[in-house]
């Protein structure tokens, strides 16, 4: 007789052909689980192939303006069919021709038959491919910029609220001089501010590939315009204008230099680094129970340990950030390995790392905004940790006050050293509270400060210029960015954090 274990193994060993038929294809978790609708749209087939049609129409429009025989009727037909793309027909034609661009040329020509003879006139595949990539990169950078600004706004409010709340500073993750919760937040903001500046620079400097031809010489267009170099230059300029760019890359091979991809992904890597730093700090502070990220009423922290409040959103940020930080290496290798005017070994990897870099960065910024907006500080816990270490930090102040009252510096120093060692032994050896101040209060050598010990160890006396630094940083660096981007702050994101 078969045991239950035998019966299980028999059933589990073969996956039935008719089971879960609608769930048998891999789904990318970045898209299915995390990505926002806004960034997904930028890298969607709809956006990509509609942009191809816009580029073909812009090219034909500019060619007509410069004298080629293209009719208004042909241009009208193209304009009227920018967005009704028959993807099934395009796929069938691609299978027939083994060429994705020609598949879509024929799909466009099917709905714009009068324009079919002039679609893609003089162009190479990279005209639509590379220029569309640049359009998508620009739109993605603009979305990243908006979300960076919104994160800075939320963090600014947090920093101002806690600008003067003393907290332990840490070096080597060991207690160090006090800072404030708001000042620590400014450290996070400064790195994101630097990322914002890099994003703005990339947007400002990003060139379109333009109208360059098969190896970048514009030879085909020179032929179309009967050797008129000025018209070829004007064509390139006009197409860029029609697509919303004020410049194209000065020279190219068949593609725009892949160093642009490396530069863009390096900026995204920088954002990921900043996010990882911020959320790493939050995770450590959550362990200390000083800070907690948002936690929904019905959220489960652990399937086994019901009491847990894991910082899962911060952990997700760090996980995604780790992925984004690795992407520039692929872009660097792709850029370095482009032989002469172009090799096609750039294609497959770019189809992956460009959209996924932006999709992941967008999720990271959405999560940062959510975390920062609901970040909860427990001031009494913060204070308890401060007061556990502050007696040791206050020894120099006590020493100086007693010297000013006429005490012997060397005798006082030795006395407080001994008391500190004994108090440390109590904390570490017996697990009891720090009793250094009680020892000082009982020692007559410190009589000069016995009546003012409490005032000497006010934590706010040990934070230096931290509160002032918060105000100065916000006023000098952050407010100008927020003021310059009021319109972006007014825009609402389509998506919320659901998991």
């Amino acid at each position: 007789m078969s045991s239950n274990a035998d019966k299980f193994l028999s059933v589990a060993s073969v996956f039935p052909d008719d089971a879960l038929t609608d769930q048998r294809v891999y789904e990318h978790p970045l898209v299915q689980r995390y990505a926002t609708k806004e960034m997904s749209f930028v890298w969607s087939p709809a956006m990509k192939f509609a942009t191809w049609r816009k580029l073909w129409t812009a090219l034909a429009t500019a060619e007509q303006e410069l004298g080629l025989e293209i009719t208004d009727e042909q241009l009208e037909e193209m304009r009227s069919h920018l967005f009704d793309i028959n993807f099934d027909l395009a796929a069938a034609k691609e299978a027939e021709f083994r060429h994705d661009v020609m598949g879509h040329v024929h799909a466009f020509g099917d709905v714009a038959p009068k324009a079919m003879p002039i679609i893609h006139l003089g162009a190479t595949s990279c005209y639509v491919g590379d220029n569309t990539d640049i359009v998508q990169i620009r739109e993605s950078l603009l979305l990243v910029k908006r979300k960076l600004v919104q994160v800075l706004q939320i963090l600014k409010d947090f920093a101002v609220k806690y600008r003067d709340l003393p907290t332990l500073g840490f070096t080597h993750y060991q207690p160090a001089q006090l800072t404030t919760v708001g000042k620590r937040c400014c450290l996070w903001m400064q790195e994101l501010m630097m990322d914002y500046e890099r994003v703005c620079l990339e947007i400002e400097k990003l060139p379109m590939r333009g109208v360059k031809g098969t190896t970048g010489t514009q030879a085909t267009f020179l032929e179309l315009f009967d050797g008129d170099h000025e018209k070829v230059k004007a064509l390139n300029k006009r197409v860029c204008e029609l697509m919303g760019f004020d410049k194209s890359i000065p020279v190219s091979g068949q593609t725009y230099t892949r160093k642009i991809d490396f530069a863009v992904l390096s900026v995204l890597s920088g954002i990921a680094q900043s996010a990882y730093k911020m959320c790493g700090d939050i995770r450590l502070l959550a362990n200390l129970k000083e800070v907690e990220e948002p936690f929904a009423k019905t959220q489960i922290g652990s399937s086994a340990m019901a009491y847990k409040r894991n910082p899962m959103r911060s952990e997700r940020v760090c996980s995604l950030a780790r992925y984004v930080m690795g992407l520039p290496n692929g872009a660097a290798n792709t850029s370095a390995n482009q032989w002469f005017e172009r090799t096609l070994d750039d294609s497959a990897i770019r189809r992956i790392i460009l959209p996924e870099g932006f999709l992941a960065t967008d999720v990271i910024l959405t999560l940062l905004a959510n975390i920062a907006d609901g970040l909860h500080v427990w001031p009494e816990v913060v204070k308890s940790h401060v007061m556990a270490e502050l007696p040791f930090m206050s020894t120099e102040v006590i020493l100086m006050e007693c010297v000013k009252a006429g005490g012997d510096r060397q005798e006082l120093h030795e006395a407080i050293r001994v008391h500190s060692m004994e108090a440390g032994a109590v904390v570490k050896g017996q697990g009891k509270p720090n009793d250094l101040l009680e020892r000082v209060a009982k020692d007559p050598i410190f009589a000069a400060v016995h009546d003012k010990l409490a005032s000497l160890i006010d934590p706010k006396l040990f934070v230096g210029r931290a509160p002032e630094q918060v105000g100065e940083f916000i006023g000098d660096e952050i407010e100008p960015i927020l003021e310059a981007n009021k319109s972006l702050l007014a825009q609402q994101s389509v998506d919320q954090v659901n998991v």
Side-chain angles (χ1 to χ4, degrees):
M1 180 176 179
S2 298
S3 68
N4 284 323
D6 292 332
K7 292 176 182 178
F8 162 72
L9 292 173
S10 175
V11 172
S13 62
V14 178
F15 205 106
D17 291 338
D18 59 349
L20 307 175
T21 55
D22 60 342
Q23 296 291 325
R24 296 173 77 108
V25 176
Y26 173 75
E27 294 181 347
H28 200 307
L30 183 55
V31 176
Q32 297 297 324
R33 187 171 177 84
Y34 302 125
T36 68
K37 293 183 179 68
E38 290 175 291
M39 191 63 81
S40 291
F41 170 70
V42 173
W43 294 95
S44 67
M47 175 71 169
K48 176 179 178 178
F49 295 112
T51 303
W52 281 18
R53 291 193 175 187
K54 291 177 186 179
L55 284 160
W56 282 321
T57 306
L59 177 62
T61 301
E63 288 173 334
Q64 186 209 51
E65 291 176 355
L66 291 164
L68 294 190
E69 292 186 8
I70 296 172
T71 68
D72 290 346
E73 187 178 16
Q74 288 174 312
L75 294 178
E76 173 58 31
E77 201 173 52
M78 294 175 77
R79 289 193 298 268
S80 299
H81 295 284
L82 294 178
F83 303 106
D84 55 336
I85 300 171
N86 186 335
F87 284 97
D88 291 336
L89 177 59
K93 289 296 183 180
E94 179 180 349
E96 179 183 347
F97 301 129
R98 295 291 181 182
H99 200 287
D100 58 345
V101 172
M102 290 310 300
H104 277 271
V105 166
H106 281 263
F108 197 9
D110 185 67
V111 293
K114 291 179 177 143
M116 181 61 173
I118 55 90
I119 294 172
H120 200 65
L121 182 59
T124 185
S125 298
C126 283
Y127 168 69
V128 288
D130 271 33
N131 282 319
T132 294
D133 289 342
I134 291 291
V135 169
Q136 291 174 301
I137 287 171
R138 180 181 63 178
E139 292 303 309
S140 298
L141 285 170
L142 289 170
L143 181 55
V144 166
K145 176 185 174 181
R146 188 188 94 202
K147 293 198 172 183
L148 269 172
V149 170
Q150 291 171 339
V151 170
L152 287 173
Q153 170 67 60
I154 296 168
L155 288 174
K156 182 212 81 170
D157 294 340
F158 181 88
V160 170
K161 180 177 180 180
Y162 295 106
R163 63 186 295 172
D164 57 0
L165 177 61
T167 188
L168 278 178
F170 290 97
T171 59
H172 313 273
Y173 199 39
Q174 301 300 312
Q177 283 189 343
L178 301 190
T179 182
T180 67
V181 172
K183 169 62 190 301
R184 179 175 286 144
C185 179
C186 288
L187 298 180
W188 304 334
M189 294 172 67
Q190 179 171 248
E191 297 197 353
L192 291 168
M193 180 188 73
M194 294 169 68
D195 299 322
Y196 163 83
E197 292 168 347
R198 288 282 308 279
V199 167
C200 290
L201 183 62
E202 289 298 325
I203 293 171
E204 178 188 350
K205 299 294 185 182
L206 187 67
M208 192 174 171
R209 172 190 178 273
V211 180
K212 302 295 187 183
T214 56
T215 59
T217 66
Q218 300 175 306
T220 305
F221 295 105
L222 192 62
E223 178 69 23
L224 279 175
F225 288 103
D226 298 322
D228 190 329
H229 289 264
E230 293 306 313
K231 282 192 175 181
V232 175
K233 289 164 63 178
L235 176 71
N236 184 64
K237 183 173 186 295
R238 183 61 174 144
V239 169
C240 289
E241 291 172 349
L242 289 171
M243 293 303 296
F245 287 81
D246 59 8
K247 58 180 172 292
S248 66
I249 194 164
V251 293
S252 75
Q254 188 174 97
T255 68
Y256 68 76
T257 169
R258 298 316 187 204
K259 198 170 266 302
I260 289 176
D261 297 343
F262 173 74
V264 168
L265 287 171
S266 295
V267 171
L268 301 187
S269 173
I271 295 170
Q273 294 161 37
S274 303
Y276 200 117
K277 155 67 177 169
M278 171 179 162
C279 289
D281 285 355
I282 290 171
R283 291 165 66 189
L284 292 170
L285 291 169
N287 174 260
L288 298 175
K289 296 182 173 56
E290 292 188 6
V291 170
E292 287 179 344
E293 66 175 38
F295 199 88
K297 184 177 181 180
T298 58
Q299 182 175 331
I300 296 173
S302 168
S303 61
M305 295 166 280
Y307 60 88
K308 293 194 76 176
R309 292 173 65 105
N310 299 331
M312 56 182 290
R313 297 179 197 184
S314 295
E315 290 173 311
R316 190 183 316 149
V317 167
C318 292
S319 185
L320 290 169
R322 192 177 302 131
Y323 175 69
V324 175
M325 286 188 284
L327 295 180
N329 185 56
N333 279 288
T334 300
S335 177
N337 279 286
Q338 285 301 285
W339 301 345
F340 303 111
E341 281 65 50
R342 196 264 170 98
T343 56
L344 195 60
D345 61 352
D346 65 338
S347 178
I349 190 171
R350 294 179 67 254
R351 291 173 188 262
I352 298 170
I353 62 177
L354 285 174
E356 290 190 5
F358 278 107
L359 287 166
T361 301
D362 182 52
V363 176
I364 287 169
L365 290 172
T366 299
L367 284 166
L368 283 191
N370 176 268
I371 293 167
D373 195 39
L375 199 59
H376 188 84
V377 178
W378 296 103
E380 292 304 316
V381 178
V382 174
K383 183 179 179 181
S384 70
H385 291 153
V386 168
M387 297 311 296
E389 301 293 338
L390 192 58
F392 295 129
M393 299 178 190
S394 67
T395 55
E396 187 173 3
V397 175
I398 294 171
L399 184 66
M400 291 301 102
E401 287 296 314
C402 289
V403 170
K404 285 193 289 184
D408 183 307
R409 191 267 177 195
Q410 311 311 329
E411 290 181 1
L412 290 162
H413 182 276
E414 177 59 18
I416 208 163
R417 185 192 69 81
V418 171
H419 287 318
S420 297
M421 294 299 104
E422 291 174 349
V426 168
V427 171
K428 297 173 184 177
Q430 302 177 33
K432 293 181 179 180
N434 189 330
D435 65 352
L436 175 59
L437 294 181
E438 287 86 340
R439 293 171 183 273
V440 170
K442 296 175 182 177
D443 191 335
I445 197 173
F446 298 105
V449 297
H450 283 173
D451 61 347
K452 54 182 179 181
L453 266 179
S455 65
L456 291 179
I457 60 164
D458 181 349
K460 291 187 177 181
L461 299 176
F462 294 84
V463 298
R465 296 194 65 252
E468 290 74 18
Q469 287 177 339
V470 172
E472 292 162 4
F473 175 70
I474 297 294
D476 296 344
E477 306 294 341
I478 301 302
E479 288 293 359
I481 292 174
L482 301 180
E483 181 64 26
N485 291 282
K486 282 183 176 179
S487 61
L488 298 184
L489 290 171
Q491 293 183 39
Q492 297 294 317
S493 294
V494 174
D495 303 276
Q496 296 179 342
V497 176
N498 296 316
V499 293

